Amino acid sequence: MFLVEALPAGDVFVLDGPEGHHAATVQRLRAGETLLLSDGRGAQATGRVDSVGKGTVSVSLVARSLLPAPDPQLVVVQGIAKGDRGELAVQAMTEIGVDEILPWAASRSVAQWRGDRGFKARDKWAATAREAAKQARRSWLPNVGGDPDCSTKQVAARLGSSAAAFVLHEEATERLTTVELPSSGEIVLVVGPEGGISDAEVEAFGAATPVRLGREVLRTSTAGVAALSVLSARLGRW
């Protein structure tokens, strides 16, 4: 799938820029092949390659579709992790179907996003989500929030305004597989960093229900993916 700013109104389109370069030079598309275009906001179009130039592809659009945004929306507050674990989580959660990701500066986060480093790290998460969405052929790109990250206070406010909020916690007694879910609005899920969520943070997140997935304690890079899988199945997305 190739992302464009907006799908053209007409039936002919020239794919250029980075996406055109990738299509023409990396994937080496040829006349007669089909490709999928999307604006990342629900609109998609199937196209047929007419000709290929230097970093450009001329396309005839043969079919269009418009998919509404998912409802409920799935939002994951992801504790910032060290190394590439955060990016691995973002990639997999995007493939699963997360709608928004909020990088959270948890008290036990080993990595800290400060100054320019923080903005670069957040932009890397956003780029990872974009590429994963293309690979998964998603019609809606997930948003990566934060400025560049979110504080515990900001997360608590977001939890309080959601339709339902849950914190993954190993000592929780309620299970995500059976907890009540809303039919509309935002479902916000908090995933802690490597060291877990502190008691003070659990208290601050009083608007959220602590839940667990099973007996096993999952890593921060896989916990959100597992939880989204449960929610996707329960909400009928899968």
Side-chain angles (χ1 to χ4, degrees):
M1 187 177 78
F2 299 93
L3 289 173
V4 296
E5 285 298 319
L7 293 180
D11 296 330
V12 179
F13 177 71
V14 176
L15 184 65
D16 55 12
E19 295 289 81
H21 171 78
H22 187 77
T25 307
V26 180
Q27 292 198 358
R28 298 188 178 187
L29 295 180
R30 295 293 180 262
E33 293 188 274
T34 60
L35 53 74
L36 184 65
L37 301 174
S38 176
D39 65 358
R41 298 180 298 277
Q44 288 189 345
T46 301
R48 183 187 64 250
V49 176
D50 292 330
S51 62
V52 180
K54 187 176 181 180
T56 64
V57 176
S58 180
V59 181
S60 290
L61 304 185
V62 297
R64 297 172 184 265
S65 62
L66 181 62
L67 283 75
D71 186 35
Q73 291 269 302
L74 298 178
V75 180
V76 173
V77 176
Q78 175 66 53
I80 296 172
K82 64 181 179 181
D84 63 353
R85 290 179 182 174
E87 291 162 40
L88 289 173
V90 169
Q91 180 182 37
M93 289 192 298
T94 299
E95 293 175 3
I96 293 296
V98 70
D99 298 303
E100 185 174 358
I101 301 170
L102 299 174
W104 170 38
S107 62
R108 294 177 180 173
S109 289
V110 176
Q112 299 293 323
W113 290 5
R114 295 289 182 265
D116 290 342
R117 177 187 176 186
F119 286 100
K120 289 179 181 178
R122 191 194 81 70
D123 289 346
K124 198 167 185 178
W125 278 28
T128 298
R130 177 185 174 89
E131 292 305 310
K134 289 168 56 178
Q135 179 67 33
R137 299 181 182 179
R138 289 190 54 177
S139 58
W140 286 87
L141 265 65
N143 177 54
V144 178
D147 191 22
D149 52 19
C150 296
S151 66
T152 296
K153 183 178 181 180
Q154 290 172 317
V155 171
R158 186 65 178 268
L159 297 176
S161 63
S162 65
F166 306 103
V167 176
L168 292 183
H169 198 283
E170 61 188 59
E171 296 179 2
T173 56
E174 291 198 56
R175 294 180 178 271
L176 188 59
T177 52
T178 57
V179 73
E180 185 177 353
L181 299 177
S183 59
S184 185
E186 283 189 351
I187 299 176
V188 185
L189 181 75
V190 180
V191 180
E194 297 97 326
I197 301 176
S198 70
D199 291 341
E201 288 166 338
V202 172
E203 184 176 353
F205 298 157
T209 301
V211 294
R212 64 183 303 155
L213 292 167
R215 295 179 180 178
E216 296 77 15
V217 178
L218 304 181
R219 288 190 174 188
T220 185
S221 56
T222 56
V225 180
L228 285 170
S229 299
V230 171
L231 293 174
S232 294
R234 292 194 60 196
L235 293 170
R237 289 193 176 194
W238 287 7

